[in-house]
Every structure is written in C-alpha cells, then in structure tokens.
mmCIF file of all heavy atoms in Angstrom:
data_model
loop_
_atom_site.group_PDB
_atom_site.id
_atom_site.type_symbol
_atom_site.label_atom_id
_atom_site.label_comp_id
_atom_site.label_asym_id
_atom_site.label_seq_id
_atom_site.Cartn_x
_atom_site.Cartn_y
_atom_site.Cartn_z
ATOM 1 N N VAL A 1 86.198 122.034 90.317
ATOM 2 C CA VAL A 1 87.551 121.685 90.723
ATOM 3 C C VAL A 1 87.538 120.338 91.438
ATOM 4 O O VAL A 1 86.516 119.900 91.943
ATOM 5 C CB VAL A 1 88.175 122.755 91.652
ATOM 6 C CG1 VAL A 1 88.344 124.060 90.918
ATOM 7 C CG2 VAL A 1 87.357 122.929 92.905
ATOM 8 N N ALA A 2 88.679 119.709 91.456
ATOM 9 C CA ALA A 2 88.871 118.486 92.235
ATOM 10 C C ALA A 2 89.647 118.886 93.481
ATOM 11 O O ALA A 2 90.515 119.743 93.431
ATOM 12 C CB ALA A 2 89.648 117.461 91.424
ATOM 13 N N THR A 3 89.323 118.260 94.591
ATOM 14 C CA THR A 3 89.944 118.600 95.863
ATOM 15 C C THR A 3 90.671 117.390 96.412
ATOM 16 O O THR A 3 90.156 116.274 96.359
ATOM 17 C CB THR A 3 88.872 119.058 96.871
ATOM 18 O OG1 THR A 3 88.190 120.179 96.312
ATOM 19 C CG2 THR A 3 89.491 119.448 98.189
ATOM 20 N N THR A 4 91.858 117.613 96.941
ATOM 21 C CA THR A 4 92.622 116.559 97.583
ATOM 22 C C THR A 4 92.988 117.005 98.990
ATOM 23 O O THR A 4 93.417 118.134 99.196
ATOM 24 C CB THR A 4 93.915 116.243 96.794
ATOM 25 O OG1 THR A 4 93.551 115.766 95.504
ATOM 26 C CG2 THR A 4 94.751 115.200 97.494
ATOM 27 N N SER A 5 92.785 116.107 99.936
ATOM 28 C CA SER A 5 93.228 116.342 101.307
ATOM 29 C C SER A 5 94.531 115.588 101.498
ATOM 30 O O SER A 5 94.675 114.463 101.010
ATOM 31 C CB SER A 5 92.191 115.837 102.304
ATOM 32 O OG SER A 5 91.036 116.641 102.260
ATOM 33 N N LEU A 6 95.470 116.212 102.190
ATOM 34 C CA LEU A 6 96.766 115.592 102.439
ATOM 35 C C LEU A 6 97.123 115.708 103.909
ATOM 36 O O LEU A 6 96.747 116.688 104.556
ATOM 37 C CB LEU A 6 97.868 116.287 101.630
ATOM 38 C CG LEU A 6 97.728 116.235 100.129
ATOM 39 C CD1 LEU A 6 97.351 117.590 99.610
ATOM 40 C CD2 LEU A 6 99.019 115.790 99.516
ATOM 41 N N CYS A 7 97.845 114.722 104.385
ATOM 42 C CA CYS A 7 98.417 114.793 105.717
ATOM 43 C C CYS A 7 99.877 114.386 105.590
ATOM 44 O O CYS A 7 100.189 113.299 105.083
ATOM 45 C CB CYS A 7 97.690 113.875 106.691
ATOM 46 S SG CYS A 7 98.289 114.088 108.394
ATOM 47 N N VAL A 8 100.750 115.285 106.009
ATOM 48 C CA VAL A 8 102.189 115.054 105.920
ATOM 49 C C VAL A 8 102.713 114.807 107.324
ATOM 50 O O VAL A 8 102.549 115.642 108.217
ATOM 51 C CB VAL A 8 102.904 116.278 105.302
ATOM 52 C CG1 VAL A 8 104.393 116.034 105.224
ATOM 53 C CG2 VAL A 8 102.325 116.609 103.940
ATOM 54 N N LYS A 9 103.326 113.650 107.498
ATOM 55 C CA LYS A 9 103.960 113.274 108.761
ATOM 56 C C LYS A 9 105.405 112.891 108.446
ATOM 57 O O LYS A 9 105.747 112.708 107.289
ATOM 58 C CB LYS A 9 103.208 112.114 109.400
ATOM 59 C CG LYS A 9 101.776 112.481 109.813
ATOM 60 C CD LYS A 9 101.033 111.341 110.439
ATOM 61 C CE LYS A 9 101.539 110.910 111.757
ATOM 62 N NZ LYS A 9 101.247 111.729 112.912
ATOM 63 N N PRO A 10 106.240 112.736 109.446
ATOM 64 C CA PRO A 10 107.649 112.406 109.165
ATOM 65 C C PRO A 10 107.853 111.126 108.328
ATOM 66 O O PRO A 10 108.729 111.078 107.490
ATOM 67 C CB PRO A 10 108.254 112.254 110.559
ATOM 68 C CG PRO A 10 107.409 113.131 111.423
ATOM 69 C CD PRO A 10 106.015 113.010 110.864
ATOM 70 N N ARG A 11 107.039 110.100 108.510
ATOM 71 C CA ARG A 11 107.262 108.822 107.816
ATOM 72 C C ARG A 11 106.233 108.495 106.755
ATOM 73 O O ARG A 11 106.314 107.479 106.091
ATOM 74 C CB ARG A 11 107.285 107.681 108.832
ATOM 75 C CG ARG A 11 108.433 107.825 109.821
ATOM 76 C CD ARG A 11 108.625 106.598 110.646
ATOM 77 N NE ARG A 11 108.965 105.465 109.800
ATOM 78 C CZ ARG A 11 108.471 104.248 109.956
ATOM 79 N NH1 ARG A 11 107.621 103.978 110.905
ATOM 80 N NH2 ARG A 11 108.831 103.275 109.154
ATOM 81 N N VAL A 12 105.220 109.377 106.606
ATOM 82 C CA VAL A 12 104.159 109.057 105.652
ATOM 83 C C VAL A 12 103.471 110.330 105.167
ATOM 84 O O VAL A 12 103.322 111.285 105.921
ATOM 85 C CB VAL A 12 103.123 108.084 106.269
ATOM 86 C CG1 VAL A 12 102.380 108.711 107.427
ATOM 87 C CG2 VAL A 12 102.153 107.551 105.234
ATOM 88 N N LEU A 13 103.124 110.319 103.900
ATOM 89 C CA LEU A 13 102.254 111.330 103.330
ATOM 90 C C LEU A 13 101.019 110.596 102.840
ATOM 91 O O LEU A 13 101.129 109.610 102.106
ATOM 92 C CB LEU A 13 102.921 112.054 102.162
ATOM 93 C CG LEU A 13 102.042 113.134 101.517
ATOM 94 C CD1 LEU A 13 102.876 114.343 101.142
ATOM 95 C CD2 LEU A 13 101.305 112.614 100.315
ATOM 96 N N VAL A 14 99.856 111.042 103.286
ATOM 97 C CA VAL A 14 98.591 110.454 102.863
ATOM 98 C C VAL A 14 97.879 111.488 102.006
ATOM 99 O O VAL A 14 97.778 112.651 102.393
ATOM 100 C CB VAL A 14 97.714 110.086 104.082
ATOM 101 C CG1 VAL A 14 96.315 109.686 103.641
ATOM 102 C CG2 VAL A 14 98.368 108.981 104.891
ATOM 103 N N SER A 15 97.424 111.071 100.838
ATOM 104 C CA SER A 15 96.600 111.934 99.993
ATOM 105 C C SER A 15 95.305 111.198 99.702
ATOM 106 O O SER A 15 95.293 109.966 99.574
ATOM 107 C CB SER A 15 97.333 112.315 98.704
ATOM 108 O OG SER A 15 97.769 111.173 97.989
ATOM 109 N N ALA A 16 94.217 111.959 99.611
ATOM 110 C CA ALA A 16 92.912 111.345 99.376
ATOM 111 C C ALA A 16 92.035 112.303 98.583
ATOM 112 O O ALA A 16 91.977 113.499 98.887
ATOM 113 C CB ALA A 16 92.241 111.005 100.708
ATOM 114 N N HIS A 17 91.385 111.764 97.560
ATOM 115 C CA HIS A 17 90.450 112.581 96.780
ATOM 116 C C HIS A 17 89.278 111.744 96.284
ATOM 117 O O HIS A 17 89.338 110.515 96.276
ATOM 118 C CB HIS A 17 91.154 113.267 95.610
ATOM 119 C CG HIS A 17 91.633 112.332 94.541
ATOM 120 N ND1 HIS A 17 92.857 112.472 93.956
ATOM 121 C CD2 HIS A 17 91.067 111.270 93.938
ATOM 122 C CE1 HIS A 17 93.010 111.525 93.033
ATOM 123 N NE2 HIS A 17 91.934 110.786 93.016
ATOM 124 N N ALA A 18 88.214 112.437 95.878
ATOM 125 C CA ALA A 18 87.040 111.758 95.336
ATOM 126 C C ALA A 18 87.112 111.683 93.813
ATOM 127 O O ALA A 18 86.557 110.781 93.213
ATOM 128 C CB ALA A 18 85.765 112.490 95.752
ATOM 129 N N ARG A 19 87.807 112.644 93.187
ATOM 130 C CA ARG A 19 87.927 112.678 91.729
ATOM 131 C C ARG A 19 89.385 112.839 91.334
ATOM 132 O O ARG A 19 90.171 113.412 92.082
ATOM 133 C CB ARG A 19 87.146 113.861 91.163
ATOM 134 C CG ARG A 19 85.651 113.689 91.306
ATOM 135 C CD ARG A 19 84.966 114.849 90.674
ATOM 136 N NE ARG A 19 84.916 115.930 91.664
ATOM 137 C CZ ARG A 19 84.275 117.048 91.497
ATOM 138 N NH1 ARG A 19 83.654 117.287 90.381
ATOM 139 N NH2 ARG A 19 84.256 117.953 92.444
ATOM 140 N N PRO A 20 89.757 112.361 90.140
ATOM 141 C CA PRO A 20 91.152 112.481 89.686
ATOM 142 C C PRO A 20 91.628 113.930 89.724
ATOM 143 O O PRO A 20 90.891 114.855 89.426
ATOM 144 C CB PRO A 20 91.107 111.965 88.250
ATOM 145 C CG PRO A 20 89.920 111.079 88.209
ATOM 146 C CD PRO A 20 88.921 111.682 89.154
ATOM 147 N N TRP A 21 92.867 114.065 90.090
ATOM 148 C CA TRP A 21 93.478 115.377 90.278
ATOM 149 C C TRP A 21 94.705 115.453 89.403
ATOM 150 O O TRP A 21 95.632 114.649 89.530
ATOM 151 C CB TRP A 21 93.828 115.490 91.758
ATOM 152 C CG TRP A 21 93.966 116.852 92.309
ATOM 153 C CD1 TRP A 21 93.041 117.837 92.325
ATOM 154 C CD2 TRP A 21 95.112 117.368 92.976
ATOM 155 N NE1 TRP A 21 93.531 118.937 92.970
ATOM 156 C CE2 TRP A 21 94.802 118.681 93.379
ATOM 157 C CE3 TRP A 21 96.367 116.861 93.288
ATOM 158 C CZ2 TRP A 21 95.704 119.487 94.056
ATOM 159 C CZ3 TRP A 21 97.256 117.656 93.964
ATOM 160 C CH2 TRP A 21 96.923 118.963 94.348
ATOM 161 N N ARG A 22 94.744 116.394 88.465
ATOM 162 C CA ARG A 22 95.794 116.471 87.461
ATOM 163 C C ARG A 22 97.194 116.570 88.079
ATOM 164 O O ARG A 22 98.104 115.852 87.680
ATOM 165 C CB ARG A 22 95.547 117.660 86.540
ATOM 166 C CG ARG A 22 96.591 117.741 85.467
ATOM 167 C CD ARG A 22 96.503 118.925 84.532
ATOM 168 N NE ARG A 22 95.449 119.851 84.766
ATOM 169 C CZ ARG A 22 94.844 120.542 83.812
ATOM 170 N NH1 ARG A 22 95.203 120.375 82.562
ATOM 171 N NH2 ARG A 22 93.908 121.411 84.106
ATOM 172 N N SER A 23 97.397 117.449 89.047
ATOM 173 C CA SER A 23 98.730 117.649 89.610
ATOM 174 C C SER A 23 99.251 116.406 90.319
ATOM 175 O O SER A 23 100.438 116.088 90.242
ATOM 176 C CB SER A 23 98.730 118.842 90.563
ATOM 177 O OG SER A 23 98.428 120.024 89.859
ATOM 178 N N ILE A 24 98.381 115.685 91.017
ATOM 179 C CA ILE A 24 98.821 114.445 91.685
ATOM 180 C C ILE A 24 99.238 113.424 90.640
ATOM 181 O O ILE A 24 100.244 112.742 90.793
ATOM 182 C CB ILE A 24 97.699 113.877 92.585
ATOM 183 C CG1 ILE A 24 97.556 114.754 93.800
ATOM 184 C CG2 ILE A 24 97.952 112.420 92.928
ATOM 185 C CD1 ILE A 24 97.574 114.100 95.137
ATOM 186 N N GLU A 25 98.472 113.318 89.562
ATOM 187 C CA GLU A 25 98.808 112.344 88.514
ATOM 188 C C GLU A 25 100.115 112.720 87.820
ATOM 189 O O GLU A 25 100.906 111.843 87.470
ATOM 190 C CB GLU A 25 97.661 112.203 87.520
ATOM 191 C CG GLU A 25 96.433 111.541 88.115
ATOM 192 C CD GLU A 25 96.706 110.158 88.711
ATOM 193 O OE1 GLU A 25 97.493 109.375 88.142
ATOM 194 O OE2 GLU A 25 96.133 109.855 89.771
ATOM 195 N N GLN A 26 100.358 114.019 87.631
ATOM 196 C CA GLN A 26 101.629 114.451 87.037
ATOM 197 C C GLN A 26 102.799 114.098 87.950
ATOM 198 O O GLN A 26 103.834 113.611 87.492
ATOM 199 C CB GLN A 26 101.610 115.953 86.761
ATOM 200 C CG GLN A 26 100.705 116.336 85.619
ATOM 201 C CD GLN A 26 100.558 117.846 85.472
ATOM 202 O OE1 GLN A 26 100.868 118.617 86.381
ATOM 203 N NE2 GLN A 26 100.051 118.266 84.331
ATOM 204 N N LEU A 27 102.643 114.344 89.245
ATOM 205 C CA LEU A 27 103.710 114.021 90.196
ATOM 206 C C LEU A 27 103.901 112.516 90.290
ATOM 207 O O LEU A 27 105.031 112.026 90.336
ATOM 208 C CB LEU A 27 103.414 114.624 91.563
ATOM 209 C CG LEU A 27 104.468 114.383 92.644
ATOM 210 C CD1 LEU A 27 105.861 114.778 92.176
ATOM 211 C CD2 LEU A 27 104.095 115.130 93.910
ATOM 212 N N ARG A 28 102.816 111.776 90.302
ATOM 213 C CA ARG A 28 102.918 110.311 90.330
ATOM 214 C C ARG A 28 103.681 109.806 89.109
ATOM 215 O O ARG A 28 104.535 108.927 89.223
ATOM 216 C CB ARG A 28 101.527 109.693 90.390
ATOM 217 C CG ARG A 28 101.577 108.183 90.406
ATOM 218 C CD ARG A 28 100.182 107.606 90.435
ATOM 219 N NE ARG A 28 100.272 106.155 90.456
ATOM 220 C CZ ARG A 28 99.375 105.356 89.942
ATOM 221 N NH1 ARG A 28 98.292 105.850 89.384
ATOM 222 N NH2 ARG A 28 99.525 104.057 89.996
ATOM 223 N N ALA A 29 103.416 110.371 87.939
ATOM 224 C CA ALA A 29 104.125 109.968 86.720
ATOM 225 C C ALA A 29 105.624 110.261 86.848
ATOM 226 O O ALA A 29 106.457 109.445 86.440
ATOM 227 C CB ALA A 29 103.542 110.675 85.500
ATOM 228 N N ALA A 30 105.976 111.391 87.446
ATOM 229 C CA ALA A 30 107.393 111.726 87.647
ATOM 230 C C ALA A 30 108.047 110.733 88.598
ATOM 231 O O ALA A 30 109.182 110.296 88.375
ATOM 232 C CB ALA A 30 107.528 113.153 88.186
ATOM 233 N N VAL A 31 107.333 110.353 89.670
ATOM 234 C CA VAL A 31 107.861 109.375 90.627
ATOM 235 C C VAL A 31 108.043 108.020 89.933
ATOM 236 O O VAL A 31 109.067 107.362 90.085
ATOM 237 C CB VAL A 31 106.935 109.256 91.863
ATOM 238 C CG1 VAL A 31 107.283 108.039 92.707
ATOM 239 C CG2 VAL A 31 107.023 110.530 92.696
ATOM 240 N N GLN A 32 107.057 107.623 89.131
ATOM 241 C CA GLN A 32 107.160 106.352 88.400
ATOM 242 C C GLN A 32 108.322 106.366 87.412
ATOM 243 O O GLN A 32 108.926 105.336 87.150
ATOM 244 C CB GLN A 32 105.865 106.052 87.646
ATOM 245 C CG GLN A 32 104.754 105.572 88.538
ATOM 246 C CD GLN A 32 103.477 105.323 87.759
ATOM 247 O OE1 GLN A 32 103.071 106.119 86.926
ATOM 248 N NE2 GLN A 32 102.840 104.199 88.052
ATOM 249 N N ALA A 33 108.624 107.551 86.868
ATOM 250 C CA ALA A 33 109.725 107.671 85.912
ATOM 251 C C ALA A 33 111.086 107.715 86.593
ATOM 252 O O ALA A 33 112.115 107.797 85.921
ATOM 253 C CB ALA A 33 109.526 108.925 85.055
ATOM 254 N N GLY A 34 111.101 107.672 87.936
ATOM 255 C CA GLY A 34 112.371 107.605 88.648
ATOM 256 C C GLY A 34 112.831 108.880 89.312
ATOM 257 O O GLY A 34 113.945 108.933 89.839
ATOM 258 N N GLN A 35 112.010 109.918 89.304
ATOM 259 C CA GLN A 35 112.415 111.154 89.975
ATOM 260 C C GLN A 35 112.617 110.875 91.467
ATOM 261 O O GLN A 35 111.770 110.273 92.117
ATOM 262 C CB GLN A 35 111.378 112.244 89.793
ATOM 263 C CG GLN A 35 111.797 113.554 90.420
ATOM 264 C CD GLN A 35 110.824 114.670 90.116
ATOM 265 O OE1 GLN A 35 109.687 114.444 89.748
ATOM 266 N NE2 GLN A 35 111.291 115.887 90.293
ATOM 267 N N VAL A 36 113.739 111.294 92.003
ATOM 268 C CA VAL A 36 114.058 111.082 93.410
ATOM 269 C C VAL A 36 113.395 112.176 94.242
ATOM 270 O O VAL A 36 113.485 113.355 93.919
ATOM 271 C CB VAL A 36 115.593 111.077 93.634
ATOM 272 C CG1 VAL A 36 115.932 110.994 95.113
ATOM 273 C CG2 VAL A 36 116.225 109.916 92.879
ATOM 274 N N VAL A 37 112.696 111.768 95.292
ATOM 275 C CA VAL A 37 112.032 112.690 96.212
ATOM 276 C C VAL A 37 112.628 112.433 97.590
ATOM 277 O O VAL A 37 112.728 111.290 98.026
ATOM 278 C CB VAL A 37 110.507 112.458 96.226
ATOM 279 C CG1 VAL A 37 109.844 113.378 97.228
ATOM 280 C CG2 VAL A 37 109.921 112.655 94.840
ATOM 281 N N ARG A 38 113.027 113.503 98.276
ATOM 282 C CA ARG A 38 113.743 113.356 99.550
ATOM 283 C C ARG A 38 112.857 113.323 100.783
ATOM 284 O O ARG A 38 113.289 112.825 101.825
ATOM 285 C CB ARG A 38 114.753 114.490 99.689
ATOM 286 C CG ARG A 38 115.849 114.450 98.637
ATOM 287 C CD ARG A 38 116.723 115.660 98.766
ATOM 288 N NE ARG A 38 115.898 116.851 98.656
ATOM 289 C CZ ARG A 38 116.106 117.834 97.792
ATOM 290 N NH1 ARG A 38 117.128 117.793 96.998
ATOM 291 N NH2 ARG A 38 115.306 118.871 97.746
ATOM 292 N N SER A 39 111.636 113.890 100.695
ATOM 293 C CA SER A 39 110.819 113.955 101.907
ATOM 294 C C SER A 39 109.346 114.150 101.553
ATOM 295 O O SER A 39 109.026 114.598 100.447
ATOM 296 C CB SER A 39 111.280 115.118 102.792
ATOM 297 O OG SER A 39 110.915 116.349 102.196
ATOM 298 N N PRO A 40 108.466 113.854 102.505
ATOM 299 C CA PRO A 40 107.042 114.133 102.277
ATOM 300 C C PRO A 40 106.775 115.626 102.047
ATOM 301 O O PRO A 40 105.913 115.988 101.257
ATOM 302 C CB PRO A 40 106.373 113.653 103.569
ATOM 303 C CG PRO A 40 107.316 112.678 104.174
ATOM 304 C CD PRO A 40 108.684 113.143 103.773
ATOM 305 N N ILE A 41 107.553 116.489 102.704
ATOM 306 C CA ILE A 41 107.381 117.942 102.525
ATOM 307 C C ILE A 41 107.715 118.335 101.090
ATOM 308 O O ILE A 41 107.083 119.224 100.517
ATOM 309 C CB ILE A 41 108.274 118.721 103.530
ATOM 310 C CG1 ILE A 41 107.777 118.498 104.952
ATOM 311 C CG2 ILE A 41 108.329 120.196 103.196
ATOM 312 C CD1 ILE A 41 106.418 119.082 105.257
ATOM 313 N N GLU A 42 108.686 117.675 100.492
ATOM 314 C CA GLU A 42 109.033 117.970 99.096
ATOM 315 C C GLU A 42 107.855 117.643 98.172
ATOM 316 O O GLU A 42 107.596 118.364 97.207
ATOM 317 C CB GLU A 42 110.276 117.181 98.687
ATOM 318 C CG GLU A 42 110.790 117.557 97.314
ATOM 319 C CD GLU A 42 112.094 116.851 96.960
ATOM 320 O OE1 GLU A 42 112.888 116.535 97.868
ATOM 321 O OE2 GLU A 42 112.305 116.617 95.765
ATOM 322 N N ILE A 43 107.128 116.585 98.461
ATOM 323 C CA ILE A 43 105.944 116.235 97.660
ATOM 324 C C ILE A 43 104.890 117.327 97.815
ATOM 325 O O ILE A 43 104.319 117.797 96.820
ATOM 326 C CB ILE A 43 105.384 114.858 98.077
ATOM 327 C CG1 ILE A 43 106.363 113.758 97.664
ATOM 328 C CG2 ILE A 43 104.001 114.617 97.448
ATOM 329 C CD1 ILE A 43 105.992 112.373 98.165
ATOM 330 N N LEU A 44 104.632 117.758 99.047
ATOM 331 C CA LEU A 44 103.657 118.819 99.284
ATOM 332 C C LEU A 44 104.065 120.096 98.552
ATOM 333 O O LEU A 44 103.239 120.733 97.882
ATOM 334 C CB LEU A 44 103.500 119.090 100.784
ATOM 335 C CG LEU A 44 102.590 120.253 101.160
ATOM 336 C CD1 LEU A 44 101.164 120.021 100.682
ATOM 337 C CD2 LEU A 44 102.618 120.468 102.672
ATOM 338 N N ALA A 45 105.329 120.481 98.640
ATOM 339 C CA ALA A 45 105.810 121.692 97.973
ATOM 340 C C ALA A 45 105.623 121.581 96.462
ATOM 341 O O ALA A 45 105.197 122.538 95.802
ATOM 342 C CB ALA A 45 107.277 121.941 98.322
ATOM 343 N N ARG A 46 105.920 120.423 95.912
ATOM 344 C CA ARG A 46 105.750 120.216 94.466
ATOM 345 C C ARG A 46 104.280 120.332 94.078
ATOM 346 O O ARG A 46 103.939 120.955 93.067
ATOM 347 C CB ARG A 46 106.310 118.848 94.092
ATOM 348 C CG ARG A 46 106.002 118.369 92.705
ATOM 349 C CD ARG A 46 106.945 118.954 91.653
ATOM 350 N NE ARG A 46 106.539 118.520 90.341
ATOM 351 C CZ ARG A 46 107.056 117.485 89.695
ATOM 352 N NH1 ARG A 46 108.024 116.784 90.238
ATOM 353 N NH2 ARG A 46 106.631 117.172 88.500
ATOM 354 N N LEU A 47 103.377 119.775 94.880
ATOM 355 C CA LEU A 47 101.943 119.873 94.579
ATOM 356 C C LEU A 47 101.464 121.321 94.634
ATOM 357 O O LEU A 47 100.657 121.742 93.802
ATOM 358 C CB LEU A 47 101.137 118.993 95.526
ATOM 359 C CG LEU A 47 101.290 117.494 95.303
ATOM 360 C CD1 LEU A 47 100.596 116.717 96.414
ATOM 361 C CD2 LEU A 47 100.753 117.084 93.945
ATOM 362 N N LEU A 48 101.959 122.086 95.583
ATOM 363 C CA LEU A 48 101.580 123.497 95.665
ATOM 364 C C LEU A 48 102.114 124.279 94.466
ATOM 365 O O LEU A 48 101.411 125.122 93.905
ATOM 366 C CB LEU A 48 102.070 124.108 96.981
ATOM 367 C CG LEU A 48 101.338 123.622 98.234
ATOM 368 C CD1 LEU A 48 102.073 124.089 99.492
ATOM 369 C CD2 LEU A 48 99.887 124.080 98.236
#
C-alpha cells in the first residue's frame, strides 16, 4: 500500500507521501477539472 500523511488546519491542508497514491491523484484531477472545494475538511472527507 501507499501511505499519505495529512494535516488539516483552517487555512491549509498539507499532504505528503513517498509513493504515488491513487485517491490523491483522482482528487487532484477533479480539482484541476474545476471541481469546487469549500474547505480542507471537505478534501479529507473525499479522500476517506
């Protein structure tokens, strides 16, 4: 498995991994395609 560590704060979400992670790349593609995200917590919920 690939592991990602995340830290969610009011103004920033930090994600970090050593190997590519499918779910992060899928979410990144959605963000690049224009999907509106309202908060860092929404990103965490989507990843879960």
Side-chain angles (χ1 to χ4, degrees):
V1 295
T3 302
T4 297
S5 291
L6 298 108
C7 186
V8 180
K9 295 180 68 75
R11 297 191 62 222
V12 65
L13 180 141
V14 171
S15 55
H17 68 223
R19 291 183 275 187
W21 203 58
R22 182 183 0 212
S23 296
I24 288 231
E25 292 303 321
Q26 289 173 343
L27 181 52
R28 179 181 180 210
V31 167
Q32 284 178 315
Q35 183 174 19
V36 174
V37 178
R38 296 175 303 235
S39 71
I41 293 293
E42 187 175 330
I43 291 173
L44 175 62
R46 170 82 184 264
L47 289 172
L48 290 169

